[in-house]
Amino acid sequence: METIVFDRVTKTYPVGLRKKATALEGLTLHIAQGTVFGFLGPNGAGKSTAIKILLNLIFPTSGQAFLLGKPMTDTAVRSRVGYLPESPNFYDHLTPEELLWFGGKTSGLTTNQIKERTDSLLDLVDLARVRRQRLRTFSKGMIQRAGVALALVNDPDVVILDEPMSGLDPLGRKLMADIIRRLKHDGKTVFFSSHILHDVEDLCDQVGIIVKARLRRVAGLADVLSVPATGWSLTVKATPDMVHSHLTGVTATHTARGGLTEIRTSEMDLGKLLDRLGALKEVLVSATPLRPTLEDILLQEIERADGESR
């Protein structure tokens, strides 16, 4: 079953009297149930616009978006969706308990359901110990975690997260990652945008890259990253001068790191490289094939889009 569908969605805004700015151009995207989907792109690419259209907060100029097989205009489907905005802003006189009470009531939950969900969710986001503390005393990361609890209060089938790692310290990021993994385990569909590409690589089944309002690439994460190697990275316990003397004639960069030297080269023949190292093979620490990272692929798409607009 396809949980999220964008069908040729375009969104334009008037700029002055005669011009229009395009925030989304012909976005077509299909996301299956149980998928963790990472939506990537630079600032202003159209990620937040797509999310707002999906949530019926703004309307497309043309095309349609669907959630759980229903048009995004269907009010009934919204009870099955949870949403965390990039910078959640709550009434700061509330406590986490009161925030979830409000969210539960507006979601149509009973008093007992709200109590059960509040207990489990505050444990999940590690806020149980401050459940009666005012939000005004919380750090940005704690507010973010309270927002996650609110997004999940109605036990949604689809969870939409706009920059969910924003403002989180390493422990908070790990907690958020664990929550996303748990949602996937429970069969939920998670759609999130992020600039933290390590988290996308770690969590996502599928990624989409959007640049300058156009979706440039959609693929399974394994497919995106399983591209042929472009060279080798060798780490040896030696100085750069020693390395350079052995690799004369081989195009390579050498980076010293705490008594180790990393060698990065586009030379594909590992046997040839090891032969050239000679005696340094005895102090070889690792040999890793070089492949484009998700960051490399994103930058390639940005450069391609820039080239098209010139």
Side-chain angles (χ1 to χ4, degrees), residues 49-125:
T49 298
I51 287 174
K52 289 175 183 176
I53 287 174
L54 195 60
L55 293 165
N56 203 41
L57 298 176
I58 60 176
F59 304 105
T61 305
S62 62
Q64 283 186 293
F66 300 87
L67 277 167
L68 300 162
K70 304 287 186 181
M72 83 283 186
T73 52
D74 188 331
T75 56
V77 80
R78 295 180 213 164
S79 65
R80 299 171 63 188
V81 178
Y83 170 53
L84 174 70
E86 179 176 358
S87 299
N89 190 11
F90 305 124
Y91 292 114
D92 63 5
H93 63 277
L94 296 178
T95 67
E97 272 189 344
E98 292 167 340
L99 181 69
L100 295 187
W101 177 267
F102 169 77
K105 278 296 183 182
T106 55
S107 298
L109 302 185
T110 66
T111 299
N112 286 338
Q113 287 173 326
I114 293 172
K115 185 178 183 307
E116 290 174 3
R117 292 294 293 165
T118 296
D119 290 344
S120 64
L121 287 171
L122 292 182
D123 282 337
L124 180 68
V125 300

Side-chain angles (χ1 to χ4, degrees), residues 243-260:
V243 169
H244 183 72
S245 66
H246 283 76
L247 292 180
T248 302
V250 176
T251 303
T253 60
H254 312 138
T255 305
R257 296 180 178 176
L260 301 175

